[in-house]
Amino acid sequence: MEKSIEVIAAKILSVVEKKRLSMRLVMEHYFRKNQDVEIIRGVVRAYLLGLLRKYRILDAFAENLLDIQVSTLGSFQRSLLRSILYESKFRDVKRRRLESLLKFARKNGLKITWQDVVLVKNTPIREVLRRYQGVERVAVEYSLPTWVVEYSFKLLGKRESFKLFKAFNKRQPTWIRVITNRTTREKLLKVLERRGFEAFPDKDFDDLIGIRRGEGLARIPEHKSGLFVIQEKASVLVGYVSGFREIFVDFTSSPGLKLSHISERTGYGIGFEIKHRRIPSMKNILERIGSRDIIDIVNTDSRVPPLRRGSSNILLDPDCSSLGRLGVSPEIRLWITPDYVSRHREEQRILLKSASGVLEKGRCLIYSTCTFTIEENEENINWAVEELGLEVVEVEPFIGVEGIGVPFAQRLYPHIHHTIGFFVAKLCKI
Ligand SMILES: C[S@@+](CC[C@H](N)C(=O)[O-])C[C@H]1O[C@@H](n2cnc3c(N)ncnc32)[C@H](O)[C@@H]1O
């Protein structure tokens, strides 16, 4: 049982939740140490994505039908319980397999019986949902933190929010950027097709390809030899709207995807990164796609940038509450709280101020985040206009919807653009 999909998923999930790490990172670590089960890596990932998109429904079953208070369990037990309930409720599993899983669970101190899983299997979801009211009910149904649902209702209205929540729980395309000085999009499309991927050219950007089922992409030879990089469409948009043609500094650069994209156009770029441990993997990516020679990386704190006021443009893509990633990285749902928004907003303003401080007249700053909160987006832009004297300028291409009260800023949403939720604006010192 130790090496079954359900138990591996529970082990990974428990580390993800306890340490608040990304699923991708924990999986990377797990499968490096357990190479004998590498073959089921893709299945475990799909299993975890499915489970996380249902985690509140699973918890509701445990609490209402089995009388198990999920929050009082240890983190491995909680993850194992979720894994077993997901298996019983949403997958067509064989009885023998489930029985061994239950035995394993009981050995690990989880009091769950065959009768319990049968009860969960046979009780319709609406029966359990009936015990919740209003916003809480929507939050359980879509497995989102209640405050996120409340926030979205206020910001976007109910109609739009429901579309957004549905999109968060649906598979979106995986986007890859073609390294155009190594191959063409057409050639890569053919190779991907030969390898069995359902790939399509993006309609907005001619170096972008969408893949309908992206599992295993990172393991094909074309990825290893740097013909493409897995990069969100929203992130690629930043490269286009920057319009940068000469030296620029990326203030918050790891893993370096936007930095490399823009540097391909400018011929040179500098990346600042505060976290020393993020730099080696960034160097590996840049090396792999052939951008290492045109990029300098500086391990520094951009709140006090080692720059004099100068003639470079700036990219600022700071850490954020990541609400736009609730679909692709559903693990965030386990720990995200409203104070992430306020804490990030403060940090973002400090970085906006330091960036503006070194920006010369006529130079511009691109500001982007992967969240849809107004505090981290339009409110920060309005603040930068009022307090720092920057001006929001029109950009090309404009593929998103207009920022809330900030005309030239653009927002992207999974239910409209099939990307992560995203915000980007260009601010210039006039
Ligand atoms: C959202 S990520 C950037 C993603 C990157 N632009 C890309 O597209 O690949 C933000 C990065 O900024 C770094 N960071 C946060 N605060 C920073 C600071 N004060 N100075 C420099 N880097 C910082 C984080 O460690 C993180 O790697």
Side-chain angles (χ1 to χ4, degrees), residues 191-224:
V191 174
L192 289 166
E193 207 173 292
R194 267 208 313 275
R195 293 204 180 280
F197 290 98
E198 206 185 313
F200 59 92
D202 178 57
K203 63 177 175 29
D204 296 305
F205 305 127
D206 50 21
D207 55 354
L208 198 63
I209 292 176
I211 317 265
R212 293 208 211 282
R213 298 178 79 91
E215 287 87 8
L217 257 180
R219 289 192 293 280
I220 65 173
E222 292 72 23
H223 182 259
K224 292 205 172 96

Side-chain angles (χ1 to χ4, degrees), residues 69-117:
Q69 287 313 304
V70 178
S71 60
T72 62
L73 298 174
S75 107
F76 178 63
Q77 285 181 343
R78 180 166 46 250
S79 302
L80 190 57
L81 176 66
R82 285 173 175 160
S83 187
I84 292 172
L85 296 186
Y86 179 61
E87 183 77 69
S88 357
K89 185 74 196 159
F90 296 102
R91 287 164 47 103
D92 202 14
V93 68
K94 298 266 176 311
R95 178 173 180 150
R96 260 188 47 204
R97 187 177 174 89
L98 205 47
E99 274 174 346
S100 343
L101 200 55
L102 290 172
K103 213 159 128 196
F104 175 85
R106 285 194 291 272
K107 253 202 224 153
N108 282 275
L110 196 60
K111 293 194 184 84
I112 183 161
T113 62
W114 175 249
Q115 285 72 25
D116 290 336
V117 296

Side-chain angles (χ1 to χ4, degrees), residues 10-229:
K11 283 182 183 165
I12 292 171
L13 190 57
S14 121
V15 180
V16 165
E17 188 181 34
K18 205 157 61 184
K19 302 200 171 159
R20 300 186 174 187
L21 291 172
S22 79
M23 196 170 98
R24 190 186 50 78
L25 206 77
V26 179
M27 283 191 62
E28 194 73 43
H29 188 252
Y30 181 88
F31 286 101
R32 206 178 313 126
K33 282 182 85 180
N34 297 277
Q35 291 189 2
D36 54 326
V37 283
E38 170 67 32
I39 191 156
I40 56 167
R41 186 185 180 133
V43 189
V44 171
R45 190 182 129 75
Y47 188 84
L48 278 167
L49 284 175
L51 184 162
L52 284 163
R53 289 173 180 153
K54 298 267 190 271
Y55 86 100
R56 288 205 66 180
I57 296 180
L58 301 171
D59 291 2
F61 270 104
E63 290 177 359
N64 292 291
L65 291 189
L66 311 184
D67 211 14
I68 301 177
Q69 287 313 304
V70 178
S71 60
T72 62
L73 298 174
S75 107
F76 178 63
Q77 285 181 343
R78 180 166 46 250
S79 302
L80 190 57
L81 176 66
R82 285 173 175 160
S83 187
I84 292 172
L85 296 186
Y86 179 61
E87 183 77 69
S88 357
K89 185 74 196 159
F90 296 102
R91 287 164 47 103
D92 202 14
V93 68
K94 298 266 176 311
R95 178 173 180 150
R96 260 188 47 204
R97 187 177 174 89
L98 205 47
E99 274 174 346
S100 343
L101 200 55
L102 290 172
K103 213 159 128 196
F104 175 85
R106 285 194 291 272
K107 253 202 224 153
N108 282 275
L110 196 60
K111 293 194 184 84
I112 183 161
T113 62
W114 175 249
Q115 285 72 25
D116 290 336
V117 296
V118 171
L119 182 62
V120 168
K121 189 161 182 62
N122 294 337
T123 309
I125 295 175
R126 61 174 187 284
E127 195 103 323
V128 172
L129 283 179
R130 215 178 278 152
R131 302 172 197 220
Y132 299 85
Q133 304 294 320
V135 176
E136 183 78 1
R137 181 184 166 132
V138 177
V140 174
E141 186 176 353
Y142 289 94
S143 283
L144 290 166
T146 306
W147 74 271
V148 171
V149 173
E150 240 158 21
Y151 187 99
S152 179
F153 277 0
K154 269 195 207 131
L155 187 75
L156 308 174
K158 283 195 177 167
R159 247 176 88 108
E160 206 63 18
S161 293
F162 278 117
K163 289 184 195 162
L164 176 66
F165 303 159
K166 275 188 197 134
F168 275 151
N169 286 341
K170 250 181 44 196
R171 180 191 281 274
Q172 296 289 346
T174 301
W175 296 102
I176 64 171
R177 173 165 64 85
V178 184
I179 305 303
T180 48
N181 52 20
R182 293 196 158 163
T183 187
T184 64
R185 178 161 78 172
E186 288 60 40
K187 278 188 192 156
L188 191 57
L189 275 165
K190 279 194 189 128
V191 174
L192 289 166
E193 207 173 292
R194 267 208 313 275
R195 293 204 180 280
F197 290 98
E198 206 185 313
F200 59 92
D202 178 57
K203 63 177 175 29
D204 296 305
F205 305 127
D206 50 21
D207 55 354
L208 198 63
I209 292 176
I211 317 265
R212 293 208 211 282
R213 298 178 79 91
E215 287 87 8
L217 257 180
R219 289 192 293 280
I220 65 173
E222 292 72 23
H223 182 259
K224 292 205 172 96
S225 58
L227 298 190
F228 69 88
V229 65

Side-chain angles (χ1 to χ4, degrees), residues 231 235 250-259 272-275 278 300-303 315 317-320 347 351 370:
Q231 182 172 2
S235 164
D250 181 345
F251 260 41
T252 47
S253 62
S254 176
L257 300 176
K258 298 180 190 76
L259 172 63
F272 289 170
E273 174 53 52
I274 196 168
K275 290 195 179 141
R278 290 200 174 173
T300 191
D301 182 349
S302 297
R303 289 173 293 190
L315 168 62
D317 177 45
D319 286 328
C320 68
E347 197 64 21
L351 285 165
C370 59

